[in-house]
Amino acid sequence: MEAVHIKIHGIVQGVGFRPFMHRLVRCYGLAGAIRNTSSGVELELEGEREALEAFVQALPERAPRLALIEKIETEYGLPPLGRQGFQILQSHREEKRNTLVSPDLGICEDCRRELLDPGDRRYRYPFINCTNCGPRFTIIKDLPYDRPLTSMGRFPMCPDCEREYHDIENRRYHAQPDACPVCGPKVCFLDGEGRELPGDPIETARAWLKEGKILAVKGLGGVHLACLAQREDLVRELRRRKERDEKPFAIMCRDVQAAEALCYVSPKERELLESFHKPIVLLRRRDRGPSPLTENGWLGVMLPYTPLHVLLFGEDLEALVMTSANLSDTPIVYQNGEALERLRGIADGFLLHDRDIQTRCDDSLCWERGGKEYFVRRSRGYVPFPVRVPGSHGGILACGAEQKASFCLSRGEYLFPRPHIGGLKNAETLAHYEQQIAHFERLFDTRPQLLVCDRHPDYLSTAYALQRGEKEGIEVLQVQHHHAHMASCMADNGLAGPVIGLIWDGVGYGEDGGAWGGECLVGDYRSFRRFGSLRPIPLIGGDRAVKEISRVGFALLQDAGCDTRGVQNAPFFETMLRQGLNCPPSSGMGRLFDGAAAILGIRESVSYEGQGAVLLEAAAEEDEGVYPFCLAGSPLCFDWRDMIRAMVKDRDAGLSAGRIASRFMNTLVQMAAETALAASRETGIRDVVLSGGSFQNQYLLDRLPGALEQAGLRPWTHQRVSCNDEGLSLGQVMIGEHRFEV
Ligand SMILES: [Zn+2]
Ligand SMILES: [Zn+2]
C-alpha cells in the first residue's frame, strides 16, 4: 500500500469531473479525496501501486466529454493514511470563482435510446437529458449553477428524479436540468393565431410540416423557422415571408444518411456533425445547380440536437430548413410571447414549450479542416467554454468591433469569447450586447480592470467602452482593427510573435484614419507596422459602393484605364471620381472581390457584406492561370491594375467568369506569398498568420497555406475562434495583456 498525490491541470471543473472520479476510484478499488484548485483538481489516493498507476493511465481516455486535461502531475510513494471511501472536499468560494459554465450539449446516445424505448419512463419525453447532455448555458440565470438559478427552478423534481439526482452511481447525478413527464416542462402547439391546439403537439407539428406548412420551433438557444427542405416552393415562400436577403438557409437532416443524400460527407465531417457540439457544418452539395436554399456550392447541415428535434423528425422526415427566426440583423427570437408576436404572418404554426431560454445562442457554423472545426461562428455547443491562453493575467473586457459584434472577457488564463449577436447598428442588438456583458461578468465573477476596443470612432462598441471607462474609472485601450485580427490568430495558435500577418477583410479603421482591409502587417502583441497593402480603391459614394458593387467595378476599370462604357451610370460615376466627390479610398480585400464580381457580370449589387466574395468563389472553375501584377514601394503596394486589364481581356475574349474568377484568386494567392516572402527576407520572421473575414473563402484557404510553405514559410490559420470580426476580441484581450510591456 502507498499513497499518490495527483494534480490535474486543465478544464476539469463544472464538467462532471468529480462524479466521474468517484466512479473511477471505486472501479480501481482505491480510496482517497479530491478537491478543486485554481488550476484544476488535486487528488490523494491510496492503494496498491499497480492499481494507482492503472488509474492514472485510464484518466485521459475515460474523462467526461467536456473535460480538457492538459497535464497530470503525480508523486508516488507517499505514506498511506488509511483512508476509507472517496471524499469530495468542498471550498465554496473557490468553487464559484473557478467553476466553468458548460455549453449546451447535443442529446447523447443513452438518452436517445431511452427516448425511443417504450419501456422507459421518459419514453418520447422531449426534455430528456443527463449529465452528458442537455441545456446548460442557455438556461442559467446566475451562479452557482444550481437548479433554482436556472429555468428549471419552477419545476420541482418528482421523487423518482430526485433519487436519480442524488445517486452518484446514476448518470443523472447532479444533472441540474433533469426532468421527466411527471415533473418537467411540456410542449404545446399553437396555430398561426396563437390558439393552442388539442392533441399531441409533436404529432400535430409533424403533420403540419408534411402538409407543407412553415413552423416556428423553439430550440435550445432560440426559435427556428422550419419547413420541408426539399420543397423548393416552400423554401421560396419562407424567403418571401422572412423578407430577408439572400443569405443561405441552414438545414437539419434526420441523420448522416439523410445528409449524404444531399451533400458529400467525409468521415471527419461526419464526426463533426455527430459530435456533442452539434454545429452546422458546411458541406459540399452534390447538386451544384441553383437552389433556393443557398446561392453557393455549400450547404449548412446539422443533425437533430435536442430530443424535441429527434421526435419531430420521427422515422419519415429527411431534411428540414432550420433557420434562425430573426428579422434583418436583430437577435434571434427566443421567448414564447415574442415569437407569437413577431413571427405572426411568417409562421403558420408554433411548436413551443415552457422551459424558458435565459440567454439566446445561435447555432454554431463551421467547416471541417484538418479534422477540426474551422469556425465561421462559434456559438451554441461551444460558448461559454473558454479559450485557455497560458500566461494571461485576466481582468480584461475586449469589446469587439461592430459587424458581428462580440466581446471577450478574461479571467486568469481563461478567455471567454461571446459569439456574435448581430450588427450593433440597431438599438435592440446594442441592448442585448450590453446585457450579455453584464451576464458574463456575473457568471465569471469578474469585473474588468481594463477595457479594450476598436479605434473606429463611430463603432457603438467603442462608444460603449469609452462611456463605461469614464463612468467607472476603468482604463480604456483602443486597438487597431487588423492588429487585433493578427493578435487573435497568434493567440489562437499559441504564438508569442513576432509574426507576419496577412489580414484580409472588408474594412477596418486604419492608423491613418483610412479604410484598411488588404493588409500585410509585421509585429507582435505590443506593436505592428504596415508592411504591405492594396493599391487603394476609391469608393464612389462611400458606403453606397459597399452595396452597389458596380461602383467598385467602375472604379477598378477606370483606374486600370479600361473601357468603362458598358457600366451603367458610367458618366455619373466618372464625374464623381473626377471631382473627388465622396470617394473615400479603401484598401479592403472585400472591395477588390466585389469589384471583380461586378466586372465579371456576376452581380451589380449585393445584399450582405462579403456576398461578392461568396459568389465569386462559388463561380470558380478549374483553372491554374495567374494574372500579372506589380508589387512595389514601401509599404509594399499590390498594384492590381495589370490584373484588372488582363481580366477584362479574358472576359472580352469570351473566357468564362468561372475561369477568370479562379485566375483572380490564384493571383491573390501568389501576391500574398510574394508579399509574405518579402516581409520574411527583411525581418527574418517565418511565421505567417492568416486572419480576417476573407479567410472564410475556402478557395484561398485551400491554396494559400501551401503556397506559403513552398516559399519556406510557416502558415497559421484559426483553430478555436472565427477568422472574422467575431474572433477579433480575442486579439484585443491579448494586446491589452501586453500594454505595459515595451
Ligand atoms: Zn444524455
Ligand atoms: Zn420527474
Side-chain angles (χ1 to χ4, degrees), residues 14-71:
V15 294
F17 205 72
R18 289 178 301 173
F20 151 72
M21 281 295 181
H22 176 93
R23 286 192 291 275
L24 200 63
V25 164
R26 279 178 53 134
C27 169
Y28 283 87
L30 306 171
I34 185 172
R35 72 184 177 92
N36 283 341
T37 66
S38 57
S39 64
V41 295
E42 268 180 16
L43 290 123
E44 291 269 350
L45 294 180
E46 301 186 12
E48 294 304 329
R49 177 67 170 256
E50 215 169 274
L52 290 171
E53 282 178 349
F55 172 87
V56 172
Q57 262 197 340
L59 266 178
E61 281 167 36
R62 296 178 57 178
R65 62 209 305 206
L66 268 179
L68 196 79
I69 295 178
E70 277 162 350
K71 197 168 68 175

Side-chain angles (χ1 to χ4, degrees), residues 384-454:
F385 226 51
V387 170
R388 186 169 166 261
V389 180
S392 307
H393 305 99
I396 297 176
L397 173 69
C399 299
E402 177 140 294
Q403 278 181 351
K404 302 195 165 49
S406 69
F407 60 83
C408 183
L409 184 67
S410 74
R411 186 184 73 189
E413 296 186 326
Y414 293 133
L415 273 55
F416 299 92
R418 165 72 188 158
H420 89 81
I421 45 191
L424 279 190
K425 276 279 178 262
N426 64 74
E428 196 185 338
T429 317
L430 182 65
H432 180 45
Y433 170 83
E434 295 184 3
Q435 175 212 326
Q436 280 296 297
I437 290 177
H439 187 54
F440 263 54
E441 289 178 11
R442 212 167 48 241
L443 279 190
F444 303 113
D445 196 18
T446 296
R447 190 181 171 275
Q449 313 294 308
L450 174 71
L451 302 171
V452 187
C453 63
D454 201 272

Side-chain angles (χ1 to χ4, degrees), residues 367 374-376 404 617 692-699 701 722-725:
W367 72 66
Y374 185 80
F375 289 106
V376 174
K404 302 195 165 49
E617 183 193 352
S694 299
F695 290 106
Q696 280 165 215
N697 181 314
Q698 181 107 356
Y699 190 97
L701 212 56
S722 168
C723 65
N724 66 35
D725 281 4

Side-chain angles (χ1 to χ4, degrees), residues 108 111 129-130 132-133 171:
C108 73
C111 285
N129 65 77
C130 73
N132 278 324
C133 75
R171 66 186 189 85

Side-chain angles (χ1 to χ4, degrees), residues 207-220:
W208 282 46
L209 283 170
K210 284 192 240 176
E211 277 167 29
K213 298 278 201 322
I214 294 171
L215 299 188
V217 178
K218 186 170 170 184
L220 272 180

Side-chain angles (χ1 to χ4, degrees), residues 121 158 161 179-180 183:
R121 73 184 187 91
C158 69
C161 287
C180 74
C183 63

